[in-house]
Amino acid sequence: MKYLVRDKIFAIGDDYWIEDERGRQAFLVDGKALRLRDTLELKDPQGRVLVTLRQKLLSLRDAMTLERDAESLATIRKKKLSLLRNHYRVTLADGTELDVSGRILDREFAIEYDGELLAHVSRKWFRMRETYAVNVIRDDADPSLLIAVAVCVIRMAEKEHEEG
């Protein structure tokens, strides 16, 4: 299943619908304004919060966390000592690790578990420059988690690019 995401929507205070490949509203991104740290909520069409994305207090560049039902779901960090410039590690609460690698700023990257592709993020399918898709490959994968991971690594890569 492919999900359509528009890049410029993720400003704090902005809300935006992510659509599925049939054009239906699948997830609402709710940018929480006036918070001490960067916070986004990914909600279902009924308004239930599925995943909360938070900047770690130290620095957006260091890590972001994902939470579900006020419990830690995952922590995302740039992978150290990687030959790939854009390589991130997602550590789930149960210890499972996902790898994110590719051209993050170009919106061309993969999310993998143990070498198996879970999702592919790409702009290739769209003519609009600020639009990309998160193509969830596995039927048993959690689309809200994979979309949240994509949003986080893009935010982290952009922040690093701005600072670097």
Side-chain angles (χ1 to χ4, degrees):
M1 174 72 76
K2 285 184 185 140
Y3 296 91
L4 173 72
V5 184
R6 290 187 181 87
D7 264 344
K8 299 302 173 196
I9 60 156
F10 296 114
I12 299 305
D14 287 353
D15 295 347
Y16 180 76
W17 283 101
I18 294 174
E19 299 172 351
D20 67 17
E21 60 194 22
R22 295 180 191 100
R24 295 179 303 206
Q25 295 176 335
F27 302 103
L28 176 67
V29 177
D30 185 357
K32 295 298 184 186
L34 305 173
R35 295 271 174 100
L36 197 55
R37 56 186 179 167
D38 196 358
T39 302
L40 295 169
E41 291 178 341
L42 192 62
K43 298 179 177 181
D44 69 10
Q46 291 72 41
R48 290 183 296 258
V49 176
L50 301 173
V51 181
T52 302
L53 299 71
R54 292 188 201 279
Q55 165 191 342
K56 281 283 205 180
L57 285 176
L58 296 176
S59 165
L60 176 61
R61 191 171 154 191
D62 290 337
M64 286 191 78
T65 60
L66 303 178
E67 298 171 4
R68 179 171 283 150
D69 300 324
E71 299 284 328
S72 177
L73 181 61
T75 301
I76 302 170
R77 289 188 169 82
K78 181 155 183 154
K79 189 170 180 185
K80 307 269 191 242
L81 304 173
S82 173
L83 296 175
L84 301 172
R85 191 166 159 249
N86 288 303
H87 196 169
Y88 292 81
R89 171 73 38 89
V90 180
T91 305
L92 301 178
D94 68 3
T96 301
E97 293 185 337
L98 307 180
D99 284 308
V100 181
S101 61
R103 296 186 325 272
I104 309 292
L105 294 174
D106 293 334
R107 309 313 187 252
E108 296 292 334
F109 59 93
I111 302 171
E112 299 178 331
Y113 167 68
D114 202 23
E116 182 181 351
L117 184 64
L118 298 178
H120 180 238
V121 176
S122 181
R123 264 198 179 131
K124 290 181 188 173
W125 298 297
F126 302 102
R127 294 182 186 179
M128 298 172 287
R129 178 162 161 37
E130 62 280 342
T131 304
Y132 64 93
V134 177
N135 187 12
V136 178
I137 305 298
R138 290 195 36 164
D139 290 337
D140 61 345
D142 178 351
S144 63
L145 171 64
L146 296 173
I147 290 168
V149 166
V151 169
C152 283
V153 297
I154 289 168
R155 289 178 76 88
M156 292 171 76
E158 285 178 343
K159 185 76 170 176
E160 182 180 8
H161 182 74
E162 289 169 9
E163 292 174 356

